[in-house]
Amino acid sequence: MSTLRFNALKTSLNRAPLQNKESGRRSEIFGFNVFNETAMRQYLSKHALNAVLQAVEKGTKIDRATADHISTGMKEWAISKGATHYTHWFQPLTGATAEKHDAFFETMEAGLAIERFEGTQLVQQEPDASSFPHGGLRNTFEARGYTAWDPTSPAFVYGTTLCIPTVFVAYTGEALDYKTPLLRALQAVDNAATAVCKYFDKNVKKVTASLGWEQEYFLVDEGLARSRPDIVLTGRTLLGHSPAKGQQLDDHYFGTIPARAMAYMRDLEHECMLLGIPVKTRHNEVAPNQFELAPIYEETNLAVDHNSLLMDIMKKVAKRHYFMVLMHEKPFAGVNGSGKHNNWSLSTDTGINLLSPGKTPMSNLQFLTFFINTIKAVLTYEELLRAAIASASNDHRLGANEAPPAIISVFIGEQLTAVLKELETVTKGKLSPKEKTDLKLNVVGKIPEILLDNTDRNRTSPFAFTGNKFEFRAVGSSANCANPMIVLNSIVAKQLIDFKDEVDELIEKKSMKKDDAVFNVLREYIKASKAILFEGNGYSEEWEIEAKKRGLSNNKTTPEALKVKLSKPSIALFENLGVMNKLESEARYEIEIEEYILRIQIESRVLGDIARNHVVPTAVRYQNILIENVTGLKTIYGDMFKKLAKEQLMLIEEISDHIEAINSLVTQMIDARKLCNKQTDLSKKANDYCKKVKPFFEEIRYHCDKLELMIDDELWPLTKYRELLFTN
C-alpha cells in the first residue's frame, strides 16, 4: 500500500492543467442543449408550443394528439444535437438521479429501420422499480413504477441522450421520488401566498418560490483519493492525523484558485452553460482544496433539478481532470465541512419579491406579512426543518464550529428586531388613525432604509434573513435540495393559510379594517415567535441551555431528528396540504432511517478492515524494524544497549499498546454491530447503531492516528492529510 501511495503522489505532482474548450461569450451558448422556448418555437407547431406553455404556467393537461406532435419535434431537435437515445430522468429516494436509456431506433419490414419517438413514450414510461427505495409502499415482487413527464422542467441533451425530467410514482399512485411532493408543496405555497397577496394587490394571480443553492465541495487528486479505501467506499476519511498546517492561517479562503482546479471549474461551467444551469460564482472556500459554486436564483423545481444534474456533471468532469469530487459534509476531520446553503424567497407574477421591502408603506406591510409568517412557520415546525436536513453525513457537520448548530433558530439582525419590537406594541383591536399613520410612516415606511446597511450575517445561524431572502444554511452538501424545500414551502403554506383565516375572522366578526386586522395578527405572531429568534453565538453552551428553556429542540443525531416525521402534526401537515399522504410520509421516514443504519454499518466495516488489514500490519512491520535495531545494539554493546535503545524500547511498547487497543476495539465494535443487526425495529436499530457502534469510530481512529505519527513515513500505507489537502 505504501508503494501505491507514493506512486499516486508522484503521478499527481506531474499532472498539468487540461486545456479547456471554452471560448466566446457564455450568453451565446447558454441553454444550447436545452429544449427551451427558443428551441420549441423552431421545432413545434404553434398549437403544440401553446400546449406546453399552458402546462408550465397553468398546469393544464396535454392531450395524446398534441403529445405526439411535441415528441416528434423534441426528437428531431435532440437528433440535431447528436442524440441517439432518450431517457426519463428522475430522482428516486436514493438521493441521486436515475435513468434508463432507450434508442430512438426502431426496425421496420423488409430490413428497414427508422428513428421513432411517440407521445406515449414522452409522457409516461414504466421502469423496473424493484430495486429503488420504497419504504414499504409496495411489495418487492410488484416491480411496477411509473415515470411521468414534468413539462415545467425542460428536457435537455447530455452526451448522446435526450433527458426528460419526470416524476416517479408507484403503480398505486404514491410518490417514490423527491419531485412529486416538491411540485405539490410548491402548488400549496402558490395557492396560500396568492390568497394573502390579494390583501395588498388584487392583480396577483401566481406566487413562485425561488431557490439559489450554494454548492460546496472538495477536489482531491483522483489517484490520491483512490489510494484511500475509506474515501472510495464512504466518501470521507475514517482516520488520518491532522496536518501541522490546516486552515488556521485563512490563506485559502477567496485566495487564488489553483491552476488545475481552475481548469476543472472552467470545463464544468462550460457544460453548465450548455445545459442552461446559470452558474455565476466560483471561489476557494475556507479549507484547503475546498471550493464553492453558486448559480443565479431560479424557480425552485428547476433549481432542484439543476443542482441534481450539476452534482452528476461535477463527478463526470472531475474524471476528465483526474480529480475526485467529495461532496460528503465532513470528508476531513479538523477542517471545515461542506454545506449547500439554500437561499429561498417568494415572488409574484407582477414582479414583486415578497421578502424584499418596497417603496410604499403598503408594500412594506406586505413584506412584513410574509417575513413574520415565515418566522412563525419556522417556530411551529422547527423540528421538522431539522429533520429535513438530517443524515449520517450531515451529523458530522452540524455544530462543528464551522456550521450551524443542530438547534434551529432564526437570525434577522438588530435593525429588524427593533422593528418587530415596535410592532409588538400595536394596540389590540382597532387602531386609531394617528397610530396607524405613525406605524406606516415611522416604522413600516423606514424598513428599506434600515435594510440598506443591514448586511451583517450571523454565520452560526441555521436560518438567517439576508436582505431579500432567507438562507437555510444547515442543508448538507450531498443533499437533494428537494427535501428541505418540500418542508419549507409546506410549513410556510400552512402558516399563510392560518394567517388568512385569522385575518378574515377579525374582518368579518370584529368588523376590523383590513390593515387593522393584519397588524393585530402580526402583533400576536411577533410575541409568539420570540423563542425562535436568536442573534448570538450558536455554538455556545449558553445557547444550548437558553434554547432548552425556550422549548426548542436540540436533536443532534439523525435517529433523534427523524422521529418527528412520524408525529401526528407532521403527517397532518402534509396530508391537509395534499403534499404527501400518511403512507408516503411513513415510507420516507423508513427509507431515511434505513439509509442511516446502512451508512453507519458500511463505515464500521470499512474502518475495521483498514485498522486491522492496513494499520496494524504496518505497525507490526515497523515494530520488527525497531526490534532488529534493539537486537543489533545489544549484540554490539552488551548490557549498555538498554541505555542506547531506551527510546526504541519505549516506542515498541507504545506500538504494542496501540495495536492491542485497536484489535480489542474492533472486536467490540463488530460484536456491537452483530447485536444491532438482530434488532428488527428500524427506529431502535438506528438508535443502537448511533449509540453503540458509532462511538467506537473515534476511539479506533485515535489509536490509528497515534500510530501514523510514530511509524516511518515510508512505510505508512494510507495517503496522509497533508497530501490529500495540499496537492492540487
Side-chain angles (χ1 to χ4, degrees), residues 30-44:
F30 182 72
F32 185 76
N33 287 336
V34 179
F35 195 58
N36 51 27
E37 188 173 337
T38 302
M40 285 192 284
R41 289 188 182 280
Q42 185 177 351
Y43 284 88
L44 299 185

Side-chain angles (χ1 to χ4, degrees), residues 110-157:
L112 299 177
I114 189 173
E115 273 73 30
R116 179 176 291 158
F117 182 54
E118 297 178 349
T120 52
Q121 295 167 311
L122 165 65
V123 173
Q124 183 176 302
Q125 291 280 290
E126 187 181 330
D128 182 349
S130 60
S131 295
F132 289 115
H134 55 81
L137 285 175
R138 53 162 184 74
N139 295 313
T140 303
F141 61 84
E142 293 168 336
R144 284 182 297 166
Y146 296 101
T147 52
W149 177 35
D150 170 22
T152 64
S153 186
F156 56 91
V157 169

Side-chain angles (χ1 to χ4, degrees), residues 440 530 637 728:
K440 289 185 176 181
K530 284 182 178 180
Y637 295 102
N728 47 42

Side-chain angles (χ1 to χ4, degrees), residues 502-503 506-507 512-522:
E502 291 181 51
V503 170
L506 290 177
I507 293 171
M512 282 191 191
K513 290 184 178 179
K514 180 193 67 182
D515 288 1
D516 292 1
V518 169
F519 275 124
N520 269 266
V521 175
L522 292 181

Side-chain angles (χ1 to χ4, degrees), residues 453-508:
D453 297 317
N454 186 25
T455 54
D456 58 315
R457 290 189 291 173
N458 185 338
R459 304 305 293 173
T460 68
S461 173
F463 200 85
F465 183 70
T466 55
N468 59 1
K469 62 189 182 300
F470 279 99
E471 183 178 9
F472 192 11
R473 299 185 60 249
V475 183
S477 53
S478 66
N480 186 313
C481 295
N483 222 359
M485 285 298 105
I486 289 167
V487 172
L488 181 55
N489 285 285
S490 295
I491 65 175
V492 171
K494 174 65 168 66
Q495 179 54 47
L496 291 171
I497 291 169
D498 291 347
F499 170 78
K500 188 173 187 303
D501 287 345
E502 291 181 51
V503 170
D504 287 349
E505 185 176 2
L506 290 177
I507 293 171
E508 292 167 11

Side-chain angles (χ1 to χ4, degrees), residues 131 231-232 288 330 335 389 414 420 448 522 532 563 590 619 621 663:
S131 295
I231 292 180
V232 172
K330 196 73 175 177
V335 296
I389 45 96
E414 292 180 9
L420 296 193
L522 292 181
I532 201 73
K563 286 180 182 178
E590 186 175 317
R621 184 179 171 191
N663 279 320

